[in-house]
Amino acid sequence: MSIEKVREYLKLYGRDKDIIELEQSSATVELAAKALGVEPARIAKSLTFKTQDGAIMIVTAGDVKIDNKKFKSVFGIKAKMLSPDEVIEATEHAIGGVCPFGTDRQKVKIYLDTSLKRFETVFPACGSGNSAIKLTPAELETLSQSTGWVDVCAENS
């Protein structure tokens, strides 16, 4: 899915004009934070994992990592990330622009990690390696049509 398709999806919520298109790359947490002028933790990164039924996407704060024990406790499987080709197949987004907007829920279920709740606003990508949108965690929950909140990341140290 391209930024144009994300724009069409966000138009359903009246948020299409809120997409931030950057001159420089925002394809990694560090690049996005620098381009947007925010701390890396506020970049909402979308991670995709294999399941028996397809895939799940977990949107986390930019400064945390998946805790394998917590992941297995919540999902009953070992955390195994999708390959770049599998990410495109499941989400219709290439790595660097993966986001929880407008994805096919038959292919991927979306969860939000509680690590995002400590911020007033976060910045997920919008389908390209140089886009983002500023959202509250509640807005992210609504716009992503997430399955729910999970706690699957390691504590910050």
Side-chain angles (χ1 to χ4, degrees):
M1 188 179 289
S2 65
I3 188 170
E4 291 80 22
K5 288 189 179 181
V6 171
R7 193 179 319 280
E8 285 301 309
Y9 173 79
L10 291 176
K11 190 180 272 188
L12 299 171
Y13 297 90
R15 297 300 301 266
D16 54 303
K17 297 198 181 350
D18 296 333
I19 294 174
I20 303 163
E21 290 189 74
L22 302 158
E23 294 293 320
Q24 63 273 52
S25 174
S26 60
T28 66
V29 168
E30 292 75 22
L31 289 172
K34 185 176 180 183
L36 293 163
V38 299
E39 64 182 301
R42 289 183 55 207
I43 302 303
K45 62 183 177 182
S46 299
L47 305 172
T48 51
F49 299 89
K50 292 181 183 188
T51 68
Q52 300 90 328
D53 304 325
I56 57 173
M57 178 187 296
I58 302 173
V59 184
T60 75
D63 64 340
V64 298
K65 294 185 182 332
I66 296 294
D67 179 306
N68 290 322
K69 194 179 239 183
K70 286 182 176 183
F71 185 97
K72 188 168 186 176
S73 174
V74 171
F75 295 107
I77 56 173
K78 184 177 177 181
K80 183 168 181 181
M81 293 193 76
L82 299 179
S83 71
D85 287 340
E86 290 170 326
V87 170
I88 293 170
E89 173 69 27
T91 69
E92 299 180 39
H93 300 294
I95 291 176
V98 177
C99 66
F101 309 121
T103 59
D104 181 346
R105 291 306 184 279
Q106 300 301 314
K107 292 183 181 179
V108 62
K109 286 186 171 54
I110 296 171
Y111 295 88
L112 305 177
D113 186 75
T114 58
S115 61
L116 295 164
K117 287 187 172 185
R118 63 192 150 123
F119 302 107
E120 281 188 37
T121 57
V122 295
F123 294 84
C126 286
S128 71
N130 67 327
S131 64
I133 188 169
K134 183 179 181 179
L135 300 171
T136 66
E139 290 169 332
L140 178 59
E141 182 176 17
T142 299
L143 296 178
S144 68
Q145 298 179 349
S146 74
T147 300
W149 290 92
V150 293
D151 179 6
V152 294
C153 288
E155 296 295 321
N156 283 350
S157 44

